[in-house]
Amino acid sequence: MYQATLSRRSYRFSDLRQLMAKASPARSGDYLAEVAADSAEERMAARIALAEVPLKTFLQQLLVPYEQDEVTRLIIDSHDALAFAPISHLTVGDFRDWLLSEQADSAMLAQVAAGITPEMAAAVSKLMRNQDLILVAKKCRVITRFRNTIGLPGHLSVRLQPNHPTDSLQGIAASMLDGLLYGSGDAVVGINPASDSLPLLEKLNYMLDDVIQRFAIPTQSCVLTHVTNTLRLIERGAPVDLVFQSIAGTEAANSGFGINLALLAEAQQAALSLNRGTLGHNVMYFETGQGSCLSSNAHHGVDQQTCEARAYAVARHFSPLLINTVVGFIGPEYLYDGKQIIRAGLEDHFCGKLLGLPLGCDVCYTNHAEADQDDMDTLLTLLATAGLTFLIGVPGADDIMLNYQSTSFHDALYIRELLGLKHAPEFADWLTRMHITDDQGRLRDTAANHPLLLALQGEQP
């Protein structure tokens, strides 16, 4: 039992799960799950009580039962007690103060990351204002490598997302051309295929690889199909760089995705066996999003933001090159409007970085949400200020295959100019060699006879 008194009224919370949920900022998904605070006063009382909870409690009082959930077992069994030692005496409130202090610099945050559980990260985020989430995330340094170096301070990468509603190779090639000539693609060239046809998925892999190899582009490709399809592609000898999978924070939700930890481990080993990385061996790419556990009725009464943080434990176990939250994609049932999407994006980025992950964000919304592109401009600017690892680049910010609104190649230009952010260094050198940017990283006018333009225009449908 946890309790706090506010305005002469005593509030009681039956267990840690309820306390965490009641302390969460208001969002439609928690109301849908009937776990949210009934009032702003109850929410504040829950935060007061949560601030007094020792961090050690999260190793003893498990929100999802150990016996029922392999994600919980992963979190507890892989917990690094030595890394946890410097902060083990703190309460959640003390942890917030420590994170905001000068003592918690980048080196110290990297040292303790393996000792922080997702529940600890979620708990402390509930006590933080937006500026706190930004400041702490900015101090976290997470660097990954495959064919280039992602996550360096002062850098921002972009996933080039050339989706097409019929998986037309010609249409995808045109979007790739658009993105590359705008300097996008250093995170990954990643396609969400409309089809699960294995022969078509194989063609997409070969096309992406052909472009990357022909022009010696220091980046990586990914066809974002189910992990079982990727395993079959590897067996067929397809040139797979990264293995993609959507993941969630409970075993039951992951079962709904058709995956488990053993399957992810098998896929990781298969990708590593190809030895396609030139600079590093981070071969996994994950996507997450608040509400995925609730949407499959697999949340165990846990609030959606804590479930999201638990997904990061799954990702952390597999040392991904990239992971991003598709923060507004799941819809207004879970994040109703621009304010909720902005807050969720900052929470996700903070928790992921705190846990040692290369967290990016698909700054996005669906057309039936109470949000617009101005909200996305705000979130993009806040996340980039907080040290975002990568964002998504879609032609015109309008994904015509997935039917949602994201960020464009032009948005990437805006945020680079505003904050002086650089491409991944190897990719930046390639852009200069290809006369796409000048020595200062600024876009140059591209002539009609540019070799990249001529080659990609020749791709066959």
Side-chain angles (χ1 to χ4, degrees):
M1 175 73 71
Y2 299 89
Q3 63 182 39
T5 300
L6 195 63
S7 301
R8 298 182 180 179
R9 179 178 175 181
S10 181
Y11 289 88
R12 292 177 173 82
F13 309 97
S14 60
D15 55 23
L16 190 56
R17 181 190 296 115
Q18 185 186 61
L19 180 65
M20 290 276 281
K22 298 288 189 179
S24 294
R27 61 203 55 194
S28 53
D30 288 338
Y31 287 115
L32 181 64
E34 299 182 340
V35 300
D38 293 329
S39 66
E41 186 172 285
E42 184 184 29
R43 183 173 299 111
M44 183 55 66
R47 290 174 180 172
I48 291 170
L50 182 60
E52 299 301 318
V53 175
L55 291 180
K56 290 179 180 178
T57 303
F58 292 96
L59 300 173
Q60 301 156 357
Q61 298 181 28
L62 307 181
L63 304 189
V64 181
Y66 183 93
E67 298 77 13
Q68 299 177 17
D69 189 90
E70 68 172 0
V71 177
T72 298
R73 293 193 292 275
L74 175 68
I75 292 167
I76 297 302
D77 295 348
S78 64
H79 182 252
D80 189 330
L82 185 61
F84 182 56
I87 58 173
S88 61
H89 61 289
L90 300 177
T91 65
V92 176
D94 294 333
F95 188 34
R96 172 190 176 274
D97 294 342
W98 180 83
L99 287 170
L100 293 168
S101 73
E102 293 182 1
Q103 181 184 355
D105 58 15
S106 298
M108 178 57 75
L109 289 172
Q111 179 183 326
V112 303
I116 302 171
T117 70
E119 291 85 355
M120 294 175 194
V124 75
S125 76
K126 298 176 193 302
L127 306 186
M128 290 180 148
R129 293 170 55 185
N130 287 358
Q131 65 174 256
D132 301 335
L133 299 173
I134 293 168
L135 183 60
V136 176
K138 179 74 170 181
K139 296 192 288 184
C140 297
R141 302 279 186 259
V142 184
I143 299 170
T144 57
R145 294 179 175 88
F146 188 76
R147 291 199 188 100
N148 58 23
T149 306
I150 294 172
L152 293 169
H155 292 66
L156 174 68
S157 294
V158 177
R159 170 188 161 190
L160 202 173
Q161 184 169 300
N163 294 343
H164 192 278
T166 64
D167 291 330
S168 162
L169 298 188
Q170 188 177 45
I172 290 169
S175 293
M176 285 176 61
L177 167 67
D178 193 20
L180 289 169
L181 293 179
Y182 274 109
S184 292
D186 49 343
V188 64
V189 181
I191 301 170
N192 297 92
S195 170
D196 278 335
S197 163
L198 209 61
L200 177 58
L201 297 176
E202 192 169 25
K203 286 181 181 179
L204 292 174
N205 269 280
Y206 275 105
M207 186 194 76
L208 293 176
D209 183 64
D210 177 65
V211 173
I212 289 173
Q213 299 301 330
R214 195 189 322 177
F215 293 99
I217 308 174
T219 191
Q220 37 282 326
S221 67
C222 186
V223 176
L224 282 72
T225 187
H226 193 271
V227 63
T228 53
N229 287 334
T230 304
L231 276 168
R232 294 169 67 191
L233 290 170
I234 292 174
E235 292 170 357
R236 291 164 66 117
V240 172
D241 287 344
L242 304 183
V243 174
F244 168 80
Q245 184 55 48
S246 295
I247 57 173
T250 68
E251 179 180 346
N254 283 324
S255 294
F257 285 142
I259 63 166
N260 55 37
L261 297 179
L263 180 60
L264 294 178
E266 179 186 354
Q268 182 187 36
Q269 290 305 309
L272 287 171
S273 72
L274 300 179
N275 198 31
R276 293 177 58 81
T278 55
L279 295 183
H281 303 288
N282 300 112
V283 296
M284 305 298 282
Y285 176 20
F286 296 118
E287 282 189 342
T288 66
Q290 289 193 27
S292 57
C293 290
L294 176 59
S295 68
S296 57
N297 194 29
H299 61 294
H300 294 269
V302 177
D303 67 272
Q304 68 180 35
Q305 189 254 331
T306 301
C307 286
E308 169 72 3
R310 284 170 52 91
Y312 302 155
V314 176
R316 180 167 64 175
H317 185 64
F318 295 102
S319 304
L321 179 76
L322 305 166
I323 170 174
N324 68 265
T325 167
V326 283
V327 63
F329 182 74
I330 200 164
E333 299 85 357
Y334 306 94
L335 296 170
Y336 178 72
D337 57 14
K339 181 175 182 177
Q340 291 188 13
I341 293 171
I342 289 167
R343 173 68 190 192
L346 294 176
E347 290 170 347
D348 294 351
H349 181 250
F350 163 84
C351 288
K353 284 293 185 66
L354 193 61
L355 293 168
L357 285 169
L359 220 294
C361 184
D362 190 344
V363 179
C364 63
Y365 65 101
T366 56
N367 288 314
H368 60 308
E370 291 294 322
D372 58 28
Q373 212 65 36
D374 285 339
D375 295 315
M376 299 306 102
D377 287 349
T378 299
L379 179 55
L380 169 61
T381 305
L382 293 174
L383 285 171
T385 304
L388 183 69
T389 302
F390 72 103
L391 70 150
I392 308 299
V394 178
D398 184 2
D399 192 301
I400 58 174
M401 196 285 280
L402 292 172
N403 290 310
Y404 79 115
Q405 309 304 310
S406 185
T407 44
S408 70
F409 309 134
H410 298 80
D411 294 324
L413 295 178
Y414 147 73
I415 203 65
R416 289 192 196 282
E417 181 176 350
L418 178 69
L419 300 178
L421 299 171
K422 303 176 182 178
H423 301 85
E426 301 84 1
F427 193 80
D429 291 343
W430 177 81
L431 289 173
T432 303
R433 291 197 307 272
M434 293 294 291
H435 303 287
I436 295 172
T437 61
D438 61 21
D439 292 339
Q440 304 301 314
R442 296 170 299 202
L443 282 182
R444 301 175 62 170
D445 291 335
T446 305
N449 62 351
H450 189 281
L452 191 65
L453 179 62
L454 293 175
L456 291 183
Q457 283 180 336
E459 294 292 340
Q460 297 300 310

